[in-house]
Amino acid sequence: MFDHIMQYQSEIWQAIGETFLMVGISISAAVLVGLPLGTLLFLCRRDQLLENRIVFSILNVFVNVVRSFPFLLLVVFLIPLTRFIVGTAIGTLAASVPLAIMAVAYYSRLVEQSLLEVPRGIIEAGTAMGASTLEIIYKFLYVDARSGLLLGLTTSTISFISYSTVVGIVGGGGIGDFAIRYGYQRFEIDLMVFTIIIMLIFVQTIQFVGSTTARLIDKR
Amino acid sequence: MIVLDGISKSYRLKNGPYEAVHSVSLQVFQGEIHGIIGTSGAGKSTLLRMINLLESPSTGHVRVNDLELTQLTTKNLRNARRSIGMVFQAFNLVHNRSVKGNVLIPLELAGFSKQARLERAAECLRIVGLERQAEQYPSSLSGGQKQRVAIARALATNPTVLLCDEPTSSLDPQTTEEILKVLKEINRNFGVTIVIVTHEMDVIKSICNKVSIMEAGEIIETISFEPKGFAALKNDYQSLRRQLLSEVDGDV
């Protein structure tokens, strides 16, 4: 069995590389866009610092719409946009576009939820000290919500790995696609089991690192 | 000096407008400890929160140290708030920062140099008697210690005014006394004007020079205890005192 798997070593490495690329892009999108968007979502809520029903509704609908798409359909639906951004609708980079958009929607909701757990009074204390909205965000909100934000990112990352397995439909590759093409479609069960084990190890490791770090930085 | 001039605050609720504070005028002179007492819902917290514009008044003017706060730009208001410290019933500490870290926040916001920040934070923790707990996190402190951290934090930027919103209401009587002692020392040693909202008569008795009684959004009476303190109140005031006490009894 092991020899058989070694035969596909280079394909497996390539698939792992593709998964890393897609998940890496998704995490970056989640942090760079999802975090600010989720923060805005929180701040625009009723009775919050930037209370704004219109902005809140727009963001809220965006997050809900993206998240209610079955991911496979989102990939297909976004093909025109992907073509516009990447220049092609096929390949790992192209598959990263719907993944990144899903990542932004997914993580921004988790960010909003984490920030809701920060006691209101802490924001008030910040305001009373003369902090600006931006200072309240990074000196108060992000500080007290940091373990929740990290746990949310951990959960998101694991979902991104899961989502990335279906992008074979647009030639995105990755380890899920490898498992389907070689393991399932060619009846090479041992290859499928092997890739599932690899994914299991990834997910376990990510969850372990995420949970442990979140616990260590939580002084509440 | 704090001058409130005809301030009102109304909210729009589902069943129509609600006026939490109705046309209140009040002067608090520099160095005073001024209590505001009343039942819950009397508007005392709302009144206090209008002094640093945590709530902006619907009408009227707020002047602190000759600065008309209601007329300031956002940026100038933020600067003005640095000279008005505030302490809350729920302490409102940042749980993921150490005791020292919490006191450092206002200093970071005010742009002090690192050296100055550390010195001032240490000084403030010494004032409230917590220098030994500097590196601990709030979760390991008692309620009274948490409130002292909050007081140290409020003092960091050398405010002239300290607003206290039910600062002892979640503390036991002995701890309450400790906190009041700290507040009194701060008032005496640094001349900080203190406005304290409470529903506890003992708080008024032990530290205030003056007290305003609030009812249904209005100040119905302001009594001065000077020069001899609360105990020296004459017979004329006995009825008021009874009224004051019954106010409190109604609440607890």
Side-chain angles (χ1 to χ4, degrees):
Chain A
M1 173 185 159
F2 202 65
D3 290 344
H4 186 216
I5 292 168
M6 290 308 281
Q7 227 178 299
Y8 290 100
Q9 207 185 15
S10 68
E11 281 92 339
I12 293 175
W13 277 119
Q14 197 197 335
I16 291 177
E18 286 161 355
T19 295
F20 270 47
L21 179 66
M22 289 187 287
V23 173
I25 290 174
S26 304
I27 295 174
S28 312
V31 173
L32 296 178
V33 186
L35 181 61
L37 221 58
T39 309
L40 198 60
L41 199 55
F42 168 78
L43 291 173
C44 289
R45 288 177 75 104
R46 182 195 286 269
D47 289 334
Q48 297 294 350
L49 285 178
L50 302 177
E51 178 176 337
N52 186 323
R53 200 187 296 185
I54 294 168
V55 176
F56 176 79
S57 303
I58 293 171
L59 291 177
N60 197 36
V61 166
F62 162 76
V63 169
N64 284 344
V65 166
V66 171
R67 292 197 59 202
S68 50
F69 263 93
F71 185 64
L72 200 59
L73 293 184
L74 185 72
V75 174
V76 178
F77 179 77
L78 287 179
I79 283 178
L81 179 73
T82 305
R83 207 170 265 141
F84 176 74
I85 295 175
V86 187
T88 171
I90 294 167
T92 309
L93 222 49
S96 300
V97 173
L99 266 171
I101 287 173
M102 178 60 100
V104 167
Y106 195 99
Y107 189 52
S108 56
R109 184 62 86 200
L110 296 183
V111 167
E112 181 201 16
Q113 282 169 14
S114 297
L115 298 182
L116 276 170
E117 279 172 30
V118 176
R120 266 196 87 75
I122 289 180
I123 300 172
E124 268 185 358
T127 309
M129 269 177 228
S132 65
T133 305
L134 208 62
E135 286 165 337
I136 286 176
I137 292 170
Y138 71 87
K139 279 201 184 292
F140 294 84
L141 287 174
Y142 286 175
V143 175
D144 252 18
R146 64 190 183 191
S147 58
L149 293 173
L150 181 64
L151 283 176
L153 192 63
T154 308
T155 308
S156 306
T157 304
I158 290 168
S159 296
F160 303 159
I161 295 178
S162 170
Y163 287 138
S164 77
T165 56
V166 303
V167 295
I169 192 166
V170 290
I175 193 141
D177 182 46
F178 175 85
I180 289 171
R181 280 191 292 126
Y182 289 81
Y184 175 65
Q185 286 164 352
R186 286 168 57 173
F187 299 105
E188 295 180 273
I189 302 298
D190 54 345
L191 283 179
M192 188 156 74
V193 171
F194 182 69
T195 44
I196 290 172
I197 291 173
I198 291 179
M199 303 209 37
L200 213 90
I201 294 171
F202 281 171
V203 171
Q204 290 290 339
T205 310
I206 290 165
Q207 188 63 56
F208 176 76
V209 172
S211 304
T212 312
T213 317
R215 201 175 57 241
L216 288 175
I217 61 174
D218 189 6
K219 310 287 184 187
R220 287 176 297 172
Chain B
M1 181 173 173
I2 303 167
V3 181
L4 305 180
D5 184 13
I7 54 169
S8 301
K9 177 73 183 178
S10 42
Y11 298 99
R12 269 208 312 250
L13 297 181
K14 270 180 209 144
N15 44 5
Y18 169 73
E19 200 166 43
V21 172
H22 176 70
S23 188
V24 166
S25 296
L26 180 70
Q27 297 193 354
V28 179
F29 295 95
Q30 191 60 38
E32 279 184 344
I33 302 185
H34 193 116
I36 299 173
I37 195 164
T39 51
S40 36
K44 51 194 195 303
S45 266
T46 309
L47 181 67
L48 185 81
R49 293 155 58 85
M50 283 195 278
I51 298 176
N52 63 353
L53 255 62
L54 269 189
E55 308 266 2
S56 47
S58 310
T59 56
H61 302 279
V62 178
R63 269 194 299 280
V64 178
N65 304 328
D66 293 324
L67 216 55
E68 172 68 56
L69 296 189
T70 44
Q71 305 290 324
L72 294 180
T73 60
T74 319
K75 190 164 178 281
N76 287 338
L77 175 62
R78 291 207 310 265
N79 278 326
R81 278 174 173 153
R82 289 190 188 129
S83 52
I84 310 174
M86 191 165 191
V87 172
F88 305 83
Q89 177 176 1
F91 321 130
N92 295 343
L93 300 176
V94 177
H95 300 97
N96 278 333
R97 290 189 78 159
S98 65
V99 165
K100 186 171 77 186
N102 268 280
V103 183
L104 285 171
I105 300 173
L107 300 165
E108 289 165 9
L109 295 174
F112 282 58
S113 72
K114 191 167 184 207
Q115 180 69 16
R117 286 203 298 261
L118 291 171
E119 277 170 18
R120 180 63 188 155
E123 197 180 333
C124 290
L125 285 175
R126 211 159 36 240
I127 292 169
V128 299
L130 279 180
E131 58 270 57
R132 286 218 316 245
Q133 281 78 10
E135 303 301 330
Q136 286 181 27
Y137 283 89
S139 61
S140 67
L141 302 180
S142 69
Q145 288 174 321
K146 283 181 195 169
Q147 195 59 292
R148 289 195 218 184
V149 179
I151 293 171
R153 185 174 71 174
L155 283 182
T157 47
N158 270 314
T160 53
V161 174
L162 185 62
L163 306 177
C164 304
D165 191 0
E166 301 269 7
T168 58
S169 297
S170 46
L171 305 174
D172 61 58
Q174 202 193 330
T175 317
T176 295
E177 223 168 277
E178 282 171 33
I179 294 296
L180 294 178
K181 215 179 117 211
V182 170
L183 290 176
K184 205 169 191 170
E185 278 172 20
I186 287 165
N187 169 260
R188 202 180 45 223
N189 298 342
F190 309 106
V192 176
T193 310
I194 296 179
V195 182
I196 185 165
V197 159
T198 183
H199 63 266
E200 295 168 306
M201 198 57 220
D202 289 338
V203 172
I204 303 289
K205 271 191 201 170
S206 67
I207 65 167
C208 294
N209 315 115
K210 279 187 186 169
V211 61
S212 294
I213 308 166
M214 265 193 104
E215 199 177 276
E218 296 184 54
I219 289 184
I220 55 172
E221 186 72 56
T222 297
I223 312 169
S224 174
F225 302 151
E226 294 301 329
K228 288 178 184 163
F230 186 83
L233 285 180
K234 290 274 159 49
N235 288 342
D236 305 352
Y237 284 124
Q238 286 307 312
S239 62
L240 271 175
R241 187 184 173 191
R242 264 197 296 280
Q243 191 182 350
L244 231 132
L245 289 163
S246 67
E247 287 280 342
V248 182
D249 287 346
D251 193 43
V252 216

